[in-house]
Each structure stands twice: as structure tokens, then as C-alpha cells.
Amino acid sequence: MAKKRILIIDDEEDLSRLLKLALEGEGDFEVSYESVPQKALEAARAFKPDAMLLDLVMPGMDGGELMFKLKGDEELRGIPVVFLTASIDPATGVGATLFGCPCLQKPAGLDEVIECLEACLEPGSE
């Protein structure tokens, strides 16, 4: 079975590196990350991810604005987006959405991230 390609877009490079290592360590994922939101569209076109993990609060362009740019791009619009952010109320709980996309509270456990990604990647989930 082919590995699922995940693109992390987050200005916290250390977190992105750790999440990349953890996901790739599971064996089912190939992961790339981009820490500059203004370069995210280019990175997504080059990497061709199956899903994206997107931070909400980033300098220069927030995750909401970036998500709308991604969804407005003909080549990228079908790629599922999961927000991974510290900027939501933890009381919101599991199953929260932001702009219609699943949302995970940082720091999310690896199992929680994988479960959310797998749900997004199921056929017919978009």
C-alpha cells in the first residue's frame, strides 16, 4: 500500500520536525513541512499531498486565509485540510471544526492526529 503524503504548514519548525518524524515512524506516511505560509501553495503543488495539517496563527498569513487560498486553487482544492492549532478553546472538544475543516487542539497526541488524518483520507470523506 502506498504511503499517504502529508504536508504540515506551521511556523513552529521544531513541532513540524517532531510530527514529521513521529508520523513517518508509523510507516504509513510520507511527510513534508513548510514553515512559511506564503510558500505553502508552492510547496503543496510540488509535494502533492493527500492531506494537510495547517496551523491557524502564523505570521504574514493566518491559516484561515491560507485555507481559502488552497480551496480556491483548482489543483489543490480537493486536498483535505486539518487545522492543528493552540488557538481553540479546549472545551470545544473532539470533533471541532473550523471553516468546515476538522480541528485538533495543540498539543494533540499522535494517535489523535493519525485518527483524524485517516478519517479525512477515507474514500468519500470530502
Side-chain angles (χ1 to χ4, degrees):
M1 179 164 73
K3 293 183 179 187
K4 295 297 182 182
R5 297 166 67 85
I6 307 300
L7 177 62
I8 301 167
I9 304 165
D10 194 320
D11 60 311
E12 295 180 47
E13 284 191 65
D14 290 342
L15 175 76
S16 296
R17 267 193 294 273
L18 287 172
L19 189 52
K20 172 183 168 50
L21 290 171
L23 286 169
E24 288 183 341
E26 291 294 308
D28 296 329
F29 301 99
E30 180 181 344
V31 182
S32 183
Y33 65 88
E34 177 55 60
S35 60
V36 179
Q38 293 83 350
K39 295 182 180 179
L41 293 175
E42 181 181 322
R45 285 190 196 102
F47 185 64
K48 300 185 182 346
D50 295 302
M52 291 181 264
L53 291 170
L54 178 58
D55 189 13
L56 186 60
V57 178
M58 297 182 287
M61 181 186 312
D62 70 40
E65 182 181 350
L66 179 55
M67 189 273 306
F68 284 111
K69 287 181 184 255
L70 290 164
K71 295 300 182 182
D73 185 287
E74 191 171 314
E75 186 179 341
L76 305 173
R77 72 171 49 128
I79 300 170
V81 171
V82 174
F83 283 102
L84 183 60
T85 182
S87 299
I88 61 168
D89 181 352
T92 304
V94 177
T97 60
L98 194 57
F99 304 111
C101 300
C103 189
L104 298 173
Q105 172 74 32
K106 279 184 187 176
L110 182 60
D111 290 343
E112 186 180 10
V113 172
I114 290 171
E115 184 179 315
C116 189
L117 286 171
E118 287 175 346
C120 288
L121 293 168
E122 285 178 7
S125 64
E126 260 298 287

